[in-house]
Amino acid sequence: MDSIAVDRFDTSRFEASRHRLASLAYRLLGSAADAEDAVQDAFLHWQAADRQRIKVPEAWLTKVVTNLCLDRLRSAQARRERTAGAWLPEPLLDGDPMLGPAATFEQRESVSLALLTLMERLSPLERAVYVLREAFSYSHAETAEILDITESASQQHLHRARCRITAARRGGSEVDPAAARRIVEEFLAAAVSGRTERLVALLTDDATAISDGAGLAEKLLRFDTAQRIAAVVRAGFKPTPAKRRLAGGTPAIHYALVNGAPAVLFVVGDQVVGSVTFDITGGKIATVRGIAAPTRLARLTETWRQHEPDTPLVTQW
């Protein structure tokens, strides 16, 4: 094989792993943009490496991407951004290959916005062990090799990660898709019509709402009582000329699945300008997450443009 053919062959071997590497990086970083950067950095490492000495490319690339992500999580910039209260995981539309394996409940849960948020409580190593074990089913021996730790340390990190997540988790069981959609549609109808009492009735007593303030606020906006959430949602869903100007037009509101959870998307033309996702427990809404910062919706918009949407729930907002 000449050098050009070798390079093409090696590039094709990398590309065959790209989606899996991106889904690994996304689970570790919670950001599609950062995940794409980590995978591209891994490609540069791959090109610079003596590839003839790499016996198992998949294992080698997994180790490189994992450690690139750990470097990012440990960086001073990441610590500042993630502790300033201005960080939420980047939402992805179901069907995006970056969401990765979804054959088991553990794999589906590992990419939920709820769990990605909870994983911020873990150390970078705990997070890596948890993702490698729960989402990708690596053994402790394989995990130890990837992270350059002992098997015993891998077991300890996993135990601590599971304990911390279990202590903070709300719910944890899957919700019937039809029931979830019905609850969200009822919530949307109450929000659009301004029925505060109905909104309160659809929320758990300890419900939480989190918003990025369309990227205009320095910190996340949090609301922690059903009454307060209902009031904020009613005000937020009330259309005004200023909101339409900010959105760039009059959005249509679509039902969608985002990171496996029920959601409504505000869409102007083919641009997603807002995403509201819901965690449902016991037939009620436990968490509402609103994301409208354009930088956090770029990949979701890209995927939306390749998607055949259902008829909007609301067309004249």
Side-chain angles (χ1 to χ4, degrees), residues 156-311:
Q156 291 170 4
H157 285 306
L158 181 63
H159 176 72
R160 285 196 292 268
R162 283 175 171 168
C163 287
R164 292 184 180 183
I165 287 173
T166 299
R169 181 188 275 128
R170 304 173 69 183
S173 60
E174 293 191 278
V175 180
D176 175 69
R181 176 164 186 153
R182 185 181 65 253
I183 292 167
V184 170
E185 289 181 348
E186 289 181 21
F187 187 87
L188 177 62
V192 171
S193 62
R195 290 179 290 146
T196 304
E197 290 184 4
R198 183 56 185 151
L199 287 172
V200 171
L202 289 167
L203 294 163
T204 63
D205 292 338
D206 60 348
T208 300
I210 308 166
S211 168
D212 67 355
L216 303 177
E218 291 185 3
K219 292 187 177 183
L220 297 178
L221 307 176
R222 295 178 182 271
F223 310 96
D224 293 319
T225 68
Q227 290 75 15
R228 179 62 174 145
I229 293 168
V232 168
V233 166
R234 179 181 176 181
F237 275 77
K238 183 178 181 180
T240 65
K243 289 176 185 174
R244 291 192 179 102
R245 283 195 301 271
L246 184 63
T250 299
I253 304 177
H254 291 265
Y255 182 83
L257 292 175
V258 171
N259 290 69
V264 292
L265 302 180
F266 291 74
V267 183
V268 176
D270 62 356
Q271 183 82 22
V272 179
V273 298
S275 167
V276 181
T277 59
F278 303 88
D279 294 344
I280 296 175
T281 301
K284 291 192 174 186
I285 295 169
T287 309
V288 182
R289 292 182 189 82
I291 298 176
T295 55
R296 308 298 288 172
L297 297 173
R299 186 175 176 100
L300 195 154
T301 291
E302 178 184 334
T303 310
W304 177 261
R305 289 171 178 167
Q306 303 167 17
H307 169 76
E308 188 66 36
D310 293 340
T311 301

Side-chain angles (χ1 to χ4, degrees), residues 3 12 15 50 58 73 96 120 123 127 131 135 138 153 163 187 199 203 216 234-235 242 257 260 265 269 289 299 308:
S3 61
S12 68
E15 291 302 325
D50 183 355
E58 179 179 308
L73 289 171
D96 189 321
E120 288 298 294
S123 71
R127 185 167 186 154
V131 168
Y138 282 98
C163 287
F187 187 87
L199 287 172
L203 294 163
L216 303 177
R234 179 181 176 181
L257 292 175
L265 302 180
R289 292 182 189 82
R299 186 175 176 100
E308 188 66 36

